[in-house]
């Protein structure tokens, strides 16, 4: 007991106490109320159970319980290229990265885990995920979603502000979101640490989750409301330029977007935009009088490429405001899930070129736009419905070309699940079915499998899935295997093939919703480390979920 007190529990209590002081100084009114109850609960449990309870919970966060160790491979993906190397992990951080030969002297007696030929890559960061809590946990949830992410090599998620209920559009609803994580994926000891996470960065977390806030007409003209949401820790804002399908998350116009950018500018955080504008006359003409709702071609006509093009044209004026000297200087516009690789992409290229003289814009696309083509989608198979829609094969080729040439900056899953009933599998009605692709666990092998024929490299995957998403989300200690960063790793075997059938363990709430089920992929994830903790290995998760929300600081 004396050793446990001296070396483990006492430093932990000191850390909590000092962090509490700093935390309350930053916002003393609300945070005192939020912090004291779990702190008292923690102290009570420690006294009652003689401290053993707290440390047991911490050690259960990892399948590999060492604070100091090395991992090695013949393929370690670093910013300077793929090396045969070793990465030293110490207290959840990357302590050193070295190129190795067959000499083991560098380890000097420390624990070494040799992954052989497997690729060690920075953990994936998925900036576009709908986990639907609170309010719609039957669609997906923090527990099932983060397990799926860990099994897919994803170490950080940024959750979207809609599909949960209520939508995350205020300080109060963001706090509801954070509270929902506590009830689902954290053990009791981290229930205390979770309210201190803005100050403390320790090695005792299973998964990192950040949150985008929502920009809607209700808060666009309310600076106090937006300030509250951003002060509470939203990493940025998300808006729709067309109906979102969620009643309490209405669409914004360009005036709302400009107002949002003016507030975001002082926080240096991005605005993510669903860039489609409804052009009713084109929709009516495209579908015709008696459309066949079972035909994917019918649905494709209801969301033509002109919607994306019109939205991006509207955004041009708002993006000008982000340039040097503009009223929103320092803000950043990020266009989510680009589908159209023609006129819309050309407009984005032009905006980026002009942005070199000030102004800031980036764009993502998703694996389902790179894997599938409209011509391949069978009538009635509503698993493929999403918005913007999956377009033709020729468009898919242009998306790959734009990604490889860096006109598209990064990838995200846009994991948007629902209950199976909303997909209307029995009816096969594309016009009425819920739109959204379930894919969170599979994005790494999907990107590798379909990108292989284009010569995609490990470093490109790390750029698209780790480095640039980390920068967009403001995570300066994530996204690359470099000294000082969080020890977040995806370990995977590019040559290993597998089939997404009933024998393949998936962790989504409703795996059969995914259009990828039944497919043969290559690039199986074998292990996932988050802040030095081995949270997933060969089909097994750590016994305790010790994650933490990522909340922005101002």
């Amino acid at each position: 007991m004396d050793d446990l007190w001296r070396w483990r529990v006492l430093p932990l209590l000191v850390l909590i106490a000092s962090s509490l002081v700093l935390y309350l100084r930053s916002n003393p009114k609300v945070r005192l109320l939020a912090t004291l109850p779990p702190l008292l609960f923690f102290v009570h449990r420690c006294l009652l159970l003689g401290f053993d309870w707290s440390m047991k919970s911490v050690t259960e966060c990892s399948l590999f319980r060492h604070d100091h160790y090395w991992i090695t491979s013949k393929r370690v993906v670093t910013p300077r290229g793929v090396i045969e190397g070793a990465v030293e992990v110490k207290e959840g951080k990357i302590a050193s990265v070295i190129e190795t030969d067959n000499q083991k002297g560098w380890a000097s007696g420390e624990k070494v885990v040799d992954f052989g030929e497997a690729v060690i890559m920075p953990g994936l960061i998925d900036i576009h995920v709908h986990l639907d809590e609170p309010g719609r946990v039957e669609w997906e949830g923090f527990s099932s979603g983060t397990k799926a992410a860990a099994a897919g090599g994803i170490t950080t998620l940024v959750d979207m502000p809609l599909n949960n209920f209520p939508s995350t559009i205020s300080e109060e609803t963001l706090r509801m979101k954070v509270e929902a994580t506590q009830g689902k994926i954290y053990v009791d000891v981290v229930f205390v640490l979770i309210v201190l996470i803005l100050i403390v960065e320790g090695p005792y977390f299973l998964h990192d989750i950040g949150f985008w806030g929502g920009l809607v007409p209700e808060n666009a003209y309310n600076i106090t409301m937006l300030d509250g949401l951003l002060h509470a820790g939203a990493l940025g804002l998300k808006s729709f330029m067309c109906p979102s399908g969620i009643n309490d998350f209405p669409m914004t116009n360009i005036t709302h977007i400009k107002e949002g950018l003016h507030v975001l500018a002082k926080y240096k955080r991005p605005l993510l935009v669903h860039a489609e504008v409804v052009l009713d006359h084109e929709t009516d003409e495209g579908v015709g009088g008696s459309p066949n709702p079972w035909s994917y071609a019918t649905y494709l006509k209801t969301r033509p490429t002109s919607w994306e093009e019109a939205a991006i044209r509207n955004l041009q004026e708002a993006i000008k405001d982000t340039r040097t000297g503009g009223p929103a200087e320092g803000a950043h516009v990020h266009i989510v899930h680009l589908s159209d690789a023609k006129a819309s992409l050309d407009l984005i290229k032009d905006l980026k070129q002009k942005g070199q003289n000030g102004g800031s814009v980036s764009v993502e696309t998703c694996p389902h736009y790179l894997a599938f083509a409209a011509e391949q989608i069978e009538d009635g198979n509503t698993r493929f419905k999403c918005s913007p829609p999956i377009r033709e094969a020729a468009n898919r080729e242009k998306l790959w070309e734009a990604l490889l040439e860096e006109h598209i900056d990064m990838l995200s899953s846009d994991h948007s699940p629902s209950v199976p009933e909303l997909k209307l599998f029995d009816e096969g009605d594309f016009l009425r079915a819920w739109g959204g692709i379930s894919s969170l666990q599979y994005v790494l092998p999907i990107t590798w499998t379909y990108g292989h024929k284009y010569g995609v490299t490990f470093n490109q995957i790390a750029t698209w899935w780790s480095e640039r998403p980390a920068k967009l989300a403001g995570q300066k200690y994530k996204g690359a295997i470099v000294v000082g960063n969080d020890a977040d790793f995806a370990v995977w075997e590019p040559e290993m093939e597998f089939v997404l059938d009933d024998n393949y363990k998936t962790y989504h709430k409703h795996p059969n919703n995914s259009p990828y089920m039944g497919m043969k992929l290559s690039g199986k994830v074998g292990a996932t480390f988050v802040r030095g903790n081995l949270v997933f290995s060969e089909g097994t998760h750590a016994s305790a979920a010790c994650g933490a929300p990522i909340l922005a600081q101002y």
Side-chain angles (χ1 to χ4, degrees):
M1 177 62 69
D2 290 341
D3 287 341
L4 181 63
W5 166 259
R6 181 179 303 142
W7 301 113
R8 292 287 189 170
V9 177
L10 182 58
L12 183 62
L13 290 176
V14 172
L15 182 66
I16 290 172
S18 59
S19 299
L20 178 59
V21 172
L22 291 172
Y23 193 65
L24 294 177
R25 285 176 63 188
S26 65
N27 193 345
K29 293 182 179 179
V30 177
R31 290 177 182 174
L32 177 61
L33 297 176
T35 305
L36 283 180
L39 180 62
L40 292 173
F41 175 72
F42 173 77
V43 172
H44 168 74
R45 288 297 295 268
C46 286
L47 292 173
L48 183 66
L49 299 178
F51 300 105
D52 289 333
W53 164 82
S54 63
M55 290 315 301
K56 178 181 177 182
S57 296
V58 169
T59 58
E60 287 176 351
C61 298
S62 180
L63 296 167
F64 182 72
R65 297 164 188 175
H66 296 271
D67 289 338
H68 188 193
Y69 61 90
W70 295 77
I71 58 175
T72 71
S73 170
K74 293 183 178 179
R75 296 185 285 187
V76 180
V77 182
T78 74
R80 65 178 185 270
V82 179
I83 64 171
E84 180 176 348
V87 183
E88 182 184 12
V89 176
K90 192 172 184 179
E91 296 181 349
K93 294 286 187 178
I94 298 173
S96 59
V97 182
I98 63 172
E99 294 193 50
T100 63
D101 51 25
N102 293 324
Q103 303 301 315
K104 299 297 184 182
W106 44 265
S108 63
E110 296 297 337
K111 182 68 176 177
V112 178
V113 182
D114 188 353
F115 285 105
E117 298 277 353
V119 172
I120 299 176
M121 196 178 82
L124 278 68
I125 299 173
D126 195 341
I127 57 166
H128 194 145
V129 178
H130 298 267
L131 292 182
D132 305 334
E133 280 198 78
R136 292 191 175 95
V137 67
E138 69 275 14
W139 291 24
E140 183 70 282
F142 289 117
S143 180
S144 57
T146 54
K147 281 187 175 181
I154 299 170
T155 55
T156 304
L157 299 173
V158 189
D159 193 36
M160 281 293 166
L162 70 161
N163 294 8
N164 48 277
F165 182 80
S167 292
T168 312
I169 60 171
S170 66
E171 181 178 358
E172 293 73 23
T173 50
L174 177 58
R175 293 190 186 282
M176 290 176 65
K177 173 79 79 170
V178 174
E179 288 170 5
T181 68
Q182 297 174 24
K184 294 293 182 181
I185 61 172
Y186 303 119
V187 296
D188 288 340
V189 65
V190 185
F191 183 87
V192 181
L193 291 176
I194 196 170
V195 297
L196 307 174
I197 192 62
L198 291 180
I199 305 300
V200 181
E201 289 192 3
Y204 307 126
F205 315 120
L206 175 62
H207 220 91
D208 290 334
I209 304 177
F211 308 98
W212 302 119
L215 178 68
V216 294
E218 180 183 347
N219 61 21
Y221 299 112
N222 189 331
I223 294 177
T224 300
M225 194 172 180
L226 285 182
D227 272 333
L229 178 56
L230 293 164
H231 264 294
L235 301 182
L237 300 176
K238 164 74 180 295
S239 73
F240 272 71
M241 297 180 74
C242 62
S244 71
I246 298 295
N247 291 336
D248 69 338
F249 203 94
M251 61 182 282
T252 53
N253 59 36
I254 200 64
T255 304
H256 299 135
I257 288 172
K258 283 188 172 186
E259 293 294 327
L261 285 172
H262 296 167
V263 177
L264 284 164
K266 67 179 179 179
Y267 294 89
K268 308 299 183 188
R269 299 181 205 166
L271 174 66
L272 284 70
V273 182
H274 181 126
E276 287 184 288
V277 168
V278 177
L279 302 174
D280 291 326
H281 65 283
E282 291 198 12
T283 301
D284 295 339
E285 292 172 4
V287 173
S290 300
N292 175 5
W294 303 280
S295 169
Y296 182 76
T298 298
Y299 172 63
L300 189 57
K301 291 176 182 177
T302 67
R303 297 188 92 106
T305 58
S306 55
W307 284 24
E308 290 186 81
E309 179 185 354
I312 295 167
R313 286 191 185 280
N314 284 355
L315 283 173
Q316 287 175 317
E317 195 65 30
I319 291 171
K320 288 180 182 178
D321 287 355
T322 69
R323 295 177 183 173
T324 303
E329 179 183 347
H332 179 95
V333 175
H334 179 76
I335 298 165
V336 300
H337 50 47
L338 179 72
S339 169
D340 173 34
K342 299 175 184 175
S344 302
L345 181 62
D346 288 339
L347 287 170
I348 292 170
K349 290 178 184 178
D350 184 61
L351 286 170
K352 283 186 165 191
Q353 187 174 15
K354 291 177 179 176
Q356 293 174 3
N357 299 317
S360 186
V361 61
S362 57
V363 60
E364 73 188 48
T365 193
C366 305
H368 45 274
Y369 299 125
L370 300 169
F372 302 126
E375 296 92 335
Q376 302 168 335
I377 298 175
E378 299 174 349
D379 287 354
N381 194 346
T382 54
R383 290 173 177 83
F384 290 88
K385 181 180 178 180
C386 59
S387 60
I390 296 165
R391 304 196 187 278
E392 298 84 0
N395 185 82
R396 177 182 61 188
E397 295 301 309
K398 287 186 174 294
L399 281 176
W400 272 112
E401 181 181 310
L403 183 64
L404 294 167
E405 294 179 356
E406 299 191 354
H407 300 303
I408 295 174
D409 300 280
M410 66 193 78
L411 297 174
S412 75
S413 69
D414 189 13
H415 176 64
S416 184
S418 72
V419 291
E421 301 83 69
L422 290 179
K423 297 297 284 187
L424 303 180
F425 294 138
D426 292 337
E427 299 176 39
D429 189 332
F430 277 106
L431 300 182
R432 294 174 49 243
W434 177 263
I437 301 291
S438 294
S439 63
L440 184 59
Q441 187 172 332
Y442 324 125
V443 293
L444 177 54
I446 291 164
T447 305
W448 176 250
T449 300
Y450 287 93
H452 196 56
K453 76 171 187 176
Y454 299 95
V456 166
T457 67
F458 300 140
N459 276 98
Q460 285 175 313
I461 292 178
T463 297
W464 301 332
W465 277 112
S466 303
E467 178 188 343
R468 289 176 182 165
K471 183 177 180 181
L472 182 73
Q475 302 307 303
K476 63 180 180 179
Y477 296 115
K478 295 184 180 294
I481 298 179
V482 297
V483 173
N485 271 11
D486 292 340
D488 297 347
F489 311 114
V491 183
W492 58 291
E493 299 184 62
E495 294 78 22
M496 182 175 288
E497 296 183 335
F498 59 98
V499 178
L500 291 177
D501 58 17
D502 292 338
N503 296 318
Y504 189 84
K505 179 62 176 174
T506 57
Y507 298 92
H508 296 156
K509 181 80 75 171
H510 305 289
N512 288 330
N513 282 12
S514 176
Y516 292 101
M517 295 308 293
M519 298 184 67
K520 185 177 183 180
L521 300 174
S522 59
K524 189 174 183 180
V525 174
T528 304
F529 294 80
V530 180
R531 298 182 189 253
N533 286 324
L534 180 59
V535 300
F536 175 82
S537 179
E538 301 299 334
T540 300
H541 287 81
S543 57
C546 308
I550 299 172
L551 299 174
Q553 300 181 62
Y554 177 65

